[in-house]
Amino acid sequence: MADMYVRFFDTTLRDGEQSPGATMTSAEKLEVARSLARLGVDVIEAGFPAASPDDLEAVRRIATEVGNPTDGSRAPIICGLARTITNDIEKAWEGVKSAARPRIHTFLATSEIHMQYKLKMTREQVLDKVREMVCLARSLCEDVEFSPEDAGRSDPDFLYLVLAEAIKCGATTLNIPDTVGYTTPEEFGALISGIIKNTPGIENCIVSVHCHNDLGLATANTLAGIQAGARQVEVTINGIGERAGNTALEEVVMALYTRHATFNCSTGIDTTQITRVSKLVANYTGMSVQANKAIVGANAFAHEAGIHQDGMLKHQLTYEIMRPELVGANQTRLVMGKHSGRHALKQRMLELGYRMGEEDLARLFERFKALADKKKGITDADLEALVSDELYQPKEYFKLDGLQVACGTMGMPTATVRLFGPDNQARVCASVGTGPVDAAFKAVDAIIQAPNGLLEFVIHAVTEGIDAIGEVTVRIESNAAGQVIGAQSEMDQLRTFGGYGADTDIIVASVKAYLSALNKLLAATGQYETAGQTEAEV
Ligand code: KIV
Ligand code: ZN
């Protein structure tokens, strides 16, 4: 039987970025979009352009720069989300129209609960709105996706009606969301089969599935949707997203690959890029991946128990259903050393998928040499950490220039920090704390004075060995009520920001991570922006 092609619609930059703490800067979003294109996703949902001018600008940049590849590769579809509101749809079009293959995605809820309490609309009114707004979207863009929000809890007969109207008005993809992650695989599969069987005109459209993970069933439901005939899956990297998240891209891809005989599906995904994109997203969002997470967790390919290790030594297939290199997780191989030159570094970075300008390469080479002086062999994972730390940081209003700590059992942990500020002046402060990290963060706080709460601090070694690079991710919450640009409610004030830092000295890595989160917070408050200049323009 011939394989069926399943399209991957990645919504890391929209549904993923929407989740608390996952806020990314425009530059980070662009880099994630580039990585998603290299990974081979078919559709990139780049954002929700009506949310703010910065969101619109980020989508526009992705559409222009990632949606028009110059290396001969196939352009991914660039999609913008819109509520069924004229302004949203026009903004979405403004965001995506420069892409070679633009798409508008509009949605309206169809469950009784949502229609009655949230929308306060009757079924007739919902039908009218869908007709009106899908027609508007289609008048602007040939590729239109419609989603009946909360489809998982909607009356199937009403869904058939709404979807049929959306098709008549020109929708080309019908996406079925289990918005609150409520359904079971059997129910969700049956819902998709019912829609395919009972919706007039659906044979000319792509049926898509979009599952949330509130009961931990998102991947199972997505696979059930595919088995029932869905040919597009909406997913995020590491499964980030609203509440418990969305379906994880890596889980669906590897299930389709590893159980090919069961699903008979092919995809456009280059699986060897998975680990890399997973790390990039974790670093930018500050949302670290749990060690036992399928496919991309630190322990996903680790065999600890004696019986397992014994089995693995006798034959890999005893305990391994897929090879780590298939998902690019074999990064501990030593690839470079002290004597490797700039050309070798450039070559290795190209092999890893990074096309770097000369200036970026020069900065990376400097960091690489400094690391090679401290560490015997340098691995791909080390190189990735250096790239994230050196090149893909938010705009640095404050930059670490010097750090000295005194700690141990003999006295009070003390840190002295020197930062360069937006005016390029050095500022120095010393603080004591409960430990060296606490003392250093207090010194940073005393200089920057951006009230915040530390929500999460995670540290781990990139590779094994005492000379390993330490990677730190932090998440902070803004405490400065009323300051976040575009905040419309108290909830918005409590935005959280992630930061990433890497260094062989873990206190330095910690301060860098903290500064990278604080710089994002400062970008959101806009207090150091010159008039009229947005973060997207920086
Ligand atoms: O979960 C959901 O219903 C959504 C829609 C906008 C597709 O994210
Ligand atoms: Zn969603």
Side-chain angles (χ1 to χ4, degrees):
M1 190 165 70
D3 277 359
M4 281 143 331
Y5 187 79
V6 174
R7 291 156 187 78
F8 274 74
F9 174 116
D10 183 280
T11 183
T12 305
L13 294 171
R14 199 277 298 169
D15 218 329
E17 213 251 349
Q18 199 169 306
S19 65
T23 316
M24 286 181 251
T25 64
S26 291
E28 288 171 338
K29 287 181 191 171
L30 187 61
E31 197 46 42
V32 169
R34 285 200 181 108
S35 297
L36 291 171
R38 270 199 298 264
L39 176 66
V41 306
D42 303 272
V43 187
I44 297 173
E45 189 162 50
F48 182 12
S52 73
D54 274 358
D55 284 66
L56 170 60
E57 191 47 39
V59 174
R60 210 185 338 235
R61 260 180 99 176
I62 291 170
T64 308
E65 295 181 33
V66 183
N68 294 284
T70 50
D71 59 359
S73 60
R74 182 170 164 78
I77 293 171
I78 307 295
C79 175
L81 184 72
R83 290 166 295 181
T84 42
I85 295 176
T86 304
N87 177 60
D88 274 34
I89 291 177
E90 287 171 354
K91 284 269 161 34
W93 176 237
E94 224 179 300
V96 298
K97 69 182 177 196
S98 60
R101 301 169 70 209
R103 173 180 294 184
I104 296 176
H105 176 195
T106 188
F107 69 99
L108 187 61
T110 49
S111 67
E112 291 303 326
I113 296 179
H114 278 233
M115 289 190 294
Q116 188 181 340
Y117 296 108
K118 185 182 85 172
L119 300 176
K120 301 192 192 323
M121 286 168 83
T122 62
R123 286 186 174 201
E124 263 321 308
Q125 287 170 323
V126 165
L127 276 168
D128 284 345
K129 189 54 92 188
V130 169
R131 283 188 202 104
E132 189 191 350
M133 291 299 143
V134 173
C135 283
L136 171 64
R138 187 56 205 255
S139 71
L140 299 169
C141 183
E142 281 196 354
D143 186 344
V144 173
E145 173 168 327
F146 172 71
S147 296
E149 192 190 5
D150 204 16
R153 293 188 299 170
S154 299
D155 169 4
D157 288 327
F158 181 53
L159 269 183
Y160 308 151
L161 261 180
V162 175
L163 294 174
E165 290 307 306
I167 295 169
K168 276 194 222 148
C169 296
T172 43
T173 298
L174 281 320
N175 176 49
I176 312 303
D178 181 16
T179 303
V180 289
Y182 179 72
T183 61
T184 64
E186 290 72 18
E187 286 165 359
F188 195 65
L191 180 67
I192 301 300
S193 306
I195 286 170
I196 292 175
K197 192 161 157 231
N198 297 303
T199 307
I202 201 131
E203 58 287 356
N204 300 319
C205 299
I206 296 291
V207 176
S208 167
V209 288
H210 175 117
C211 300
H212 280 267
N213 203 29
D214 299 66
L215 294 174
L217 293 171
T219 298
N221 285 347
T222 298
L223 293 172
I226 293 173
Q227 287 183 307
R231 291 294 166 261
Q232 175 180 284
V233 291
E234 300 204 351
V235 291
T236 60
I237 301 294
N238 300 338
I240 64 170
E242 283 282 4
R243 305 179 310 278
N246 289 64
T247 308
L249 174 144
E250 61 276 9
E251 293 177 12
V252 180
V253 173
M254 294 317 292
L256 296 182
Y257 184 92
T258 309
R259 302 300 307 273
H260 181 262
T262 303
F263 293 103
N264 283 305
C265 290
S266 63
T267 76
I269 302 294
D270 172 0
T271 60
T272 63
Q273 295 281 325
I274 286 176
T275 302
R276 181 173 159 239
V277 187
S278 160
K279 285 196 169 145
L280 192 76
V281 169
N283 292 345
Y284 286 173
T285 57
M287 299 183 77
S288 49
V289 173
Q290 78 203 51
N292 62 329
K293 162 84 179 63
I295 320 294
V296 291
N299 291 350
F301 296 95
H303 302 274
E304 188 70 24
I307 294 176
H308 288 208
Q309 288 179 347
D310 178 56
M312 282 292 288
L313 289 172
K314 289 177 176 147
H315 201 295
Q316 277 167 351
L317 285 180
T318 52
Y319 287 101
E320 204 165 65
I321 60 167
M322 57 200 153
R323 298 290 306 138
E325 42 276 23
L326 199 56
V327 298
N330 55 330
Q331 295 195 317
T332 47
R333 200 164 51 94
L334 297 186
V335 287
M336 307 194 71
K338 202 176 161 101
H339 302 293
S340 308
R342 199 181 158 114
H343 183 72
L345 178 66
K346 184 175 182 178
Q347 190 52 35
R348 189 64 204 147
M349 295 317 290
L350 264 178
E351 284 160 14
L352 288 174
Y354 294 95
R355 234 169 284 276
M356 294 186 149
E358 284 309 311
E359 213 178 287
D360 283 349
L361 186 70
R363 276 164 62 202
L364 186 69
F365 188 62
E366 213 176 290
R367 285 292 301 272
F368 164 75
K369 279 290 177 197
L371 179 63
D373 277 342
K374 295 185 194 154
K375 193 171 185 288
K376 263 199 259 118
I378 297 193
T379 66
D380 285 342
D382 290 324
L383 295 178
E384 304 260 5
L386 289 187
V387 172
S388 293
D389 185 65
E390 187 61 42
L391 304 185
Y392 301 142
Q393 286 290 349
K395 184 181 179 195
E396 287 184 300
Y397 298 98
F398 286 90
K399 187 176 165 61
L400 181 65
D401 184 53
L403 169 69
Q404 188 173 310
V405 292
C407 59
T409 55
M410 305 283 287
M412 279 185 292
T414 309
T416 307
V417 170
R418 188 171 56 226
L419 304 181
F420 270 112
D423 51 5
N424 227 14
Q425 296 297 311
R427 293 161 173 81
V428 183
C429 185
S431 279
V432 291
T434 52
V437 174
D438 185 49
F441 282 19
K442 283 195 170 120
V444 168
D445 284 341
I447 295 174
I448 299 185
Q449 306 212 353
N452 72 87
L454 183 64
L455 299 178
E456 193 177 287
F457 174 86
V458 180
I459 183 159
H460 82 271
V462 171
T463 52
E464 286 166 10
I466 198 72
D467 56 358
I469 291 185
E471 275 185 318
V472 176
T473 51
V474 301
R475 271 194 316 129
I476 61 172
E477 184 175 70
S478 161
N479 288 344
Q483 284 190 6
V484 173
I485 288 177
Q488 287 161 16
S489 67
E490 266 180 43
M491 285 280 281
D492 287 2
Q493 308 296 355
L494 296 177
R495 270 176 64 183
T496 61
F497 303 88
Y500 171 85
D503 202 280
T504 45
D505 181 322
I506 55 171
I507 314 295
V508 173
S510 305
V511 173
K512 283 178 165 182
Y514 189 44
L515 277 173
S516 114
L518 278 172
N519 280 323
K520 285 187 196 171
L521 187 156
L522 294 176
T525 61
Q527 67 196 85
Y528 291 107
E529 293 297 341
T530 50
Q533 191 185 27
T534 66
E535 186 268 328
E537 290 163 334
V538 174

